[in-house]
Amino acid sequence: MKKSLVLAMAMALGVTASAYAANPFSDVPAGHWAYDAVNKLAAEGIVNGYPDGTFGGDKLMTRYEMAQIVAKAMANGANVDKLAAEFADELDSLGVRVANLEKKADNVKITGQIRASYRDMDNGSHEGRLRTRLFVNGAINEDWTYTGRFENNQYYTDKKLKEGKSDDDVSLNWAYVSGPIGGVKADLGRQNFKLHTGNVVDAEFDAVKLSYGKDVKITGFAGKGEGDDVTPLDEDRLYAVDLSSKIGVVDAYVTYYNADDGYSQEVWNVGAAVPVVKDLKLSAEYLHGDADESGDLDNNGYVVGLAYKGAKASQPGSWGVYANYYDMPALTYFDNTNDAYSGVMNDWKYGVGEGDDCVATDGFEGFEVGANVALAKNIVAAVKYFDLDSREGDLDEQTIWSEVVFTF
């Protein structure tokens, strides 16, 4: 098939013999019979020459190459119905091939986060850390995706290094697939589990999570702690059922947790958040816990908080401040999300020390205040201050946490 057939394309686009820039192909001189047609198609981006600047009009072309030209002409609004019919099979095949290539190009996406932090506790403990996370997201098919997370921690204080941690350690602490099973969304594999505030649990599990609904949503979870010997749940099993909804301007939820953690601990969590005035939100949650061997431990806890605005990584200059008050007995939580910042919430769960030297604590109470600001796009700085006391005994701790988070 000769490339002179592109003349038909030029006719379909309505070529006139005048107003286009000089023809870019060295082998199509101004006096050539197809000059205007080739010039028109080149100007419209429908035909391309070879790297050496020639058009190669006398060369044979495949039906696939012609189909590509037809497709480009159709995208430019040309009336090429007869040609489209002639090359229907090739256009269909080409379309599938191009779509698949585009899909493959976007099939895997890698994003990241770098957090530089420093924690100063009044017991003399200091911890500086650079945490790097890489997120890998891939499309399995039209419905299912894969998510992975690699994490590395480098300490610029020696506290963690003395505990056997190495700056070279890299862990794959997320590795799960997501997709629909009927009308239910499923997340299967190693994943983080945190509902709402994270005051009850925020940890990694090898788990199954199922959720259904949107405005009124029910979530079921069953998982086993990843076994890092760091969190209170370690390799224990956790089960949870959550019902959440938006009622007008109020976000509300009720959650039941059950952990096989040696105490057969159960926790009920009820919470709500409501805007007070523009940009100011009040939140409150009630927690009730029980266990097979609860002794004289308290069962009831609560958390209240106020938050004004909040930094958004995509909006430079955005900022926010907040304050929270906690009264959380040991029976009302498993692995508190704020322990990474305060350093004592999980340590004070039941007691400190062993044997005759054990000091009862029964959880913690106290307050947290914080502020955050987006210094530039995708760069957010934050500072937090915790003043916490053990609910039993006389342990107390003040902690300052500062961080800068870069996302890419």
Side-chain angles (χ1 to χ4, degrees):
M1 187 177 295
K2 289 293 192 75
K3 280 198 173 182
S4 58
L5 285 178
V6 298
L7 181 61
M9 304 303 303
M11 294 174 62
L13 287 167
V15 170
T16 61
S18 56
Y20 293 96
N23 174 46
F25 305 120
S26 60
D27 59 343
V28 186
H32 194 280
W33 62 270
Y35 177 86
D36 287 329
V38 172
N39 190 20
K40 166 70 175 179
L41 296 177
E44 294 288 342
I46 294 172
V47 296
N48 300 308
Y50 293 96
D52 63 359
T54 62
F55 178 64
D58 292 328
K59 292 185 178 181
L60 294 176
M61 65 188 302
T62 67
R63 288 178 63 89
Y64 280 114
E65 290 173 327
M66 188 61 194
Q68 188 176 44
I69 293 173
V70 174
K72 289 181 179 179
M74 292 172 66
N76 279 358
N79 184 6
V80 290
D81 292 342
K82 290 184 179 180
L83 286 171
E86 170 67 20
F87 295 98
D89 291 341
E90 287 80 3
L91 285 169
D92 181 63
S93 179
L94 182 66
V96 171
R97 191 173 60 191
V98 171
N100 287 340
L101 284 173
E102 290 175 348
K103 227 174 226 186
K104 286 294 182 185
D106 295 331
N107 192 47
V108 177
K109 183 178 181 181
I110 298 177
T111 58
Q113 180 193 83
I114 297 175
R115 186 184 75 183
S117 63
Y118 187 79
R119 179 170 65 187
D120 188 351
M121 302 173 66
D122 70 352
N123 65 3
S125 173
H126 308 280
E127 180 186 281
R129 178 167 46 142
L130 183 67
R131 186 188 70 188
T132 302
R133 286 174 169 174
L134 291 178
F135 302 87
V136 181
N137 299 95
I140 298 171
N141 55 36
E142 291 80 1
D143 299 317
W144 285 81
T145 60
Y146 168 84
T147 300
R149 186 180 77 182
F150 293 90
E151 182 173 318
N152 168 258
N153 289 279
Q154 301 181 47
Y155 296 89
Y156 39 92
T157 57
D158 64 356
K159 175 178 180 291
K160 289 294 181 181
L161 294 179
K162 289 179 180 178
E163 296 175 1
K165 297 288 186 180
S166 169
D167 283 356
D168 297 327
D169 290 344
V170 177
S171 62
L172 177 63
N173 49 24
W174 288 8
Y176 64 92
V177 295
S178 302
I181 301 177
V184 176
K185 180 181 181 297
D187 297 310
L188 313 172
R190 178 160 295 184
Q191 58 191 282
N192 175 263
F193 185 57
K194 173 186 175 182
L195 290 175
H196 314 300
T197 62
N199 284 326
V200 177
V201 64
D202 180 3
E204 272 65 54
F205 295 85
D206 296 322
V208 174
K209 183 172 73 172
L210 305 175
S211 57
Y212 177 80
K214 186 177 179 182
D215 294 333
V216 177
K217 183 177 179 180
I218 185 168
T219 300
F221 177 88
K224 179 182 179 182
E226 67 172 337
D228 58 10
D229 295 322
V230 174
T231 72
L233 287 167
D234 192 12
E235 294 187 342
D236 299 321
R237 299 184 184 277
L238 177 71
Y239 308 93
V241 178
D242 175 75
L243 178 64
S244 60
S245 66
K246 188 172 184 66
I247 307 170
V249 296
V250 179
D251 294 308
Y253 56 89
V254 56
T255 314
Y256 170 74
Y257 302 86
N258 187 310
D260 181 14
D261 59 354
Y263 298 94
S264 297
Q265 185 178 345
E266 298 177 307
V267 175
W268 285 93
N269 183 23
V270 180
V274 58
V276 180
V277 294
K278 183 180 179 182
D279 297 325
L280 181 65
K281 181 171 284 189
L282 171 67
S283 61
E285 61 184 317
Y286 166 75
L287 307 102
H288 177 84
D290 205 350
D292 288 348
E293 299 179 12
S294 58
D296 296 327
L297 297 176
D298 285 346
N299 298 96
N300 303 306
Y302 66 91
V303 180
V304 293
L306 272 176
Y308 180 72
K309 293 187 175 180
K312 297 180 180 179
S314 60
Q315 298 179 12
S318 60
W319 59 277
V321 294
Y322 67 91
N324 294 316
Y325 182 81
Y326 304 92
D327 185 354
M328 296 189 61
L331 291 176
T332 64
Y333 67 99
F334 300 104
D335 190 351
N336 191 283
T337 190
N338 276 319
D339 186 65
Y341 311 110
S342 72
V344 297
M345 292 178 173
N346 292 337
D347 292 342
W348 289 356
K349 190 165 167 57
Y350 293 110
V352 177
E354 297 180 358
D356 295 337
D357 296 327
C358 181
V359 177
T361 54
D362 191 17
F364 63 93
E365 60 184 347
F367 68 89
E368 168 198 5
V369 293
N372 44 64
V373 60
L375 302 176
K377 187 175 181 179
N378 296 331
I379 303 176
V380 176
V383 61
K384 306 178 183 185
Y385 174 74
F386 295 88
D387 189 342
L388 302 174
D389 300 303
S390 58
R391 297 185 74 257
E392 290 187 10
D394 56 0
L395 297 180
D396 68 276
E397 188 65 63
Q398 291 80 45
T399 302
I400 297 177
W401 172 279
S402 57
E403 67 180 24
V404 180
V405 178
F406 305 82
T407 57
F408 56 93

